[in-house]
Amino acid sequence: MDKLAIRKIMHERRASLKNRDFFDAVILEKAKKISDAHQTIALFYAFNHEVNTVPLISYLLEQGKTVACPVIKAGVMRFMKVESIQDFEMGHFNIMEPVSKIEIDPALFDLIWVPLLAFNNQCYRVGYGKGYYDRFLIQTTGLKVGLAYEVQFIDIAFEDEKDVACDFVVTEVRG
């Protein structure tokens, strides 16, 4: 099965997921515990039926963590510092982006929460197909953790030479 077919299946699985609020709460508790051991954290603002990261962003800010979310500029994904949960505006691909002008160097992140559409046993991920995260992840040595629902797991090898695996994936079952 190719990545295009996997994306289509996973979009449908994720969109039709029941008990989303319950799963989000379980995943959020795991994410908080993992995040507590880290200081400089890259995170995404959820969209399109992803695990809701807004409460996690708020929690991390309350804990005094350095938090940054992605902005796409000139075809490159950069992570900009987030000062407040209100510091977002609609951006590229209709994804909320931070308004901050303060970029965080990828080398400074000790934890990166990674969005995905699908993942396998080796923790490789299928994203949205533009390669932004794979190009970003090779620039950092921080812990790379996928954030997903268990229905996004697929038991096949689909990775290629450009793909960067996560260290592990947190779902309502894993992590």
Side-chain angles (χ1 to χ4, degrees), residues 64-81:
K65 306 290 185 179
T66 300
V67 178
C69 289
V71 172
I72 306 295
K73 290 185 180 175
V76 177
M77 186 171 70
R78 303 178 191 292
F79 278 79
M80 309 307 278
K81 186 172 184 180

Side-chain angles (χ1 to χ4, degrees), residues 117-149:
L117 276 167
F119 67 97
N120 65 15
N121 278 323
Q122 291 73 41
C123 295
Y124 281 99
R125 56 182 279 282
V126 173
Y128 292 99
K130 302 288 185 193
Y132 289 114
Y133 267 89
D134 290 318
R135 288 190 298 275
F136 168 74
L137 292 172
I138 60 172
Q139 300 175 55
T140 181
T141 58
L143 185 67
K144 301 160 185 66
V145 185
L147 204 53
Y149 301 108

Side-chain angles (χ1 to χ4, degrees), residues 7-22:
R7 282 187 192 96
K8 183 177 182 343
I9 291 166
M10 293 304 169
H11 272 296
E12 291 168 4
R13 277 191 194 175
R14 201 167 64 185
S16 63
L17 184 66
K18 307 288 186 240
N19 302 317
R20 181 181 309 278
D21 290 342
F22 173 76

Side-chain angles (χ1 to χ4, degrees), residues 3-122:
K3 289 183 182 180
L4 196 59
I6 293 170
R7 282 187 192 96
K8 183 177 182 343
I9 291 166
M10 293 304 169
H11 272 296
E12 291 168 4
R13 277 191 194 175
R14 201 167 64 185
S16 63
L17 184 66
K18 307 288 186 240
N19 302 317
R20 181 181 309 278
D21 290 342
F22 173 76
F23 292 150
D24 282 355
V26 171
I27 294 166
L28 176 62
E29 286 309 307
K30 293 177 182 184
K32 284 178 179 178
K33 287 180 182 154
I34 293 164
S35 296
D36 284 344
H38 301 277
Q39 184 57 43
T40 305
I41 301 169
L43 185 57
F44 59 96
Y45 194 109
F47 92 116
N48 199 15
H49 307 293
E50 291 173 333
V51 173
N52 183 4
T53 56
V54 174
L56 182 58
I57 295 168
S58 294
Y59 172 80
L60 295 172
L61 292 170
E62 289 166 10
Q63 300 303 307
K65 306 290 185 179
T66 300
V67 178
C69 289
V71 172
I72 306 295
K73 290 185 180 175
V76 177
M77 186 171 70
R78 303 178 191 292
F79 278 79
M80 309 307 278
K81 186 172 184 180
V82 176
E83 303 285 349
S84 159
I85 199 64
Q86 281 78 42
D87 289 350
F88 289 87
E89 65 185 12
M90 192 59 69
H92 224 69
F93 304 118
N94 291 318
I95 300 172
M96 297 295 280
E97 295 181 342
V99 296
S100 170
K101 303 293 183 236
I102 302 168
E103 183 176 353
I104 306 293
D105 184 327
L108 298 177
F109 291 113
D110 52 354
L111 174 61
I112 302 97
W113 288 106
V114 184
L116 53 91
L117 276 167
F119 67 97
N120 65 15
N121 278 323
Q122 291 73 41

